[in-house]
Amino acid sequence: MASVNKVTLIGNLGRDPESRSFPDGGTICNVTIATTRRWKQRDSGEMQEETEWHRVVFRDRLAEIAGEYLKKGRPVYVEGRLKTRKWTDKDGVEKYTTEIVAEQMQLLGSREGMGGGDAGDSGYGEGGGSGGGGGERSARPAPAPRAPAGRAAPQKSATGFDDMDDDIPF
């Protein structure tokens, strides 16, 4: 049976990227992305929130782009795969870390501070290679949805489910 190792995240950067270049020309950029889950408690109706932190590694051209454009607090979309590494620390203790090796990235939000005035975002990803030698990366502009300036009155949906809360009744 075939298997799948795929991760999709939409979250905010917890700190500025850390980039390193190597003598062979390779580049790595490490970031930490926060995702937050929100739900309503069934018994009390109180809103709950849980934040999860994810270590993400960008390589080669994608690392260069991430290091240049990502900043602390910036929203980002990332697709990749899970990878667990093992190493021995200075005390001889074996340590493990699981991180996401990014294969696609989409910058979200406005281009504030980036020299561009429109609200379009750029997507970056690895080209059609089989993971080995850093294929050609492509940038795809994508329009960002704009929220209306004022708050519009909620519209009734045709399904009648608009007044239900987020809890699933089973």
Side-chain angles (χ1 to χ4, degrees), residues 3-10 31 33 54-59 62 76-84 98-106 124-126 131 140:
S3 62
V4 175
N5 180 355
K6 184 164 185 149
V7 175
T8 303
L9 297 175
I10 296 177
V31 300
I33 297 177
H54 311 275
R55 295 172 50 100
V56 180
V57 177
F58 297 96
R59 298 185 187 278
L62 204 52
V76 64
Y77 168 90
V78 172
E79 282 183 25
R81 60 185 168 81
L82 287 176
K83 173 88 172 154
T84 301
T98 300
E99 50 202 13
I100 297 151
V101 177
E103 296 168 350
Q104 299 270 339
M105 173 182 61
Q106 178 92 22
Y124 302 94
E126 294 192 49
R140 298 177 310 262

Side-chain angles (χ1 to χ4, degrees), residues 12-30:
N12 295 322
L13 261 64
R15 62 176 187 242
D16 285 339
E18 297 173 6
S19 297
R20 293 188 317 263
S21 296
F22 299 100
D24 68 357
T27 305
I28 285 186
C29 181
N30 295 305

Side-chain angles (χ1 to χ4, degrees), residues 115-133:
D118 76 358
D121 293 331
S122 296
Y124 302 94
E126 294 192 49
S130 58

Side-chain angles (χ1 to χ4, degrees), residues 22-90:
F22 299 100
D24 68 357
T27 305
I28 285 186
C29 181
N30 295 305
V31 300
T32 303
I33 297 177
T35 56
T36 303
R37 180 175 81 101
R38 293 177 180 89
W39 72 96
K40 189 186 291 188
Q41 274 303 87
R42 287 185 187 195
D43 51 353
S44 68
E46 182 180 333
M47 290 302 293
Q48 299 291 312
E49 184 174 286
E50 175 183 69
T51 300
E52 187 74 32
W53 292 92
H54 311 275
R55 295 172 50 100
V56 180
V57 177
F58 297 96
R59 298 185 187 278
D60 301 323
R61 180 70 182 132
L62 204 52
E64 294 171 14
I65 294 167
E68 184 175 344
Y69 291 106
L70 295 179
K71 301 288 179 233
K72 179 179 178 177
R74 174 113 198 229
V76 64
Y77 168 90
V78 172
E79 282 183 25
R81 60 185 168 81
L82 287 176
K83 173 88 172 154
T84 301
R85 292 186 297 119
K86 176 176 116 173
W87 76 95
T88 305
D89 71 5
K90 62 184 176 187

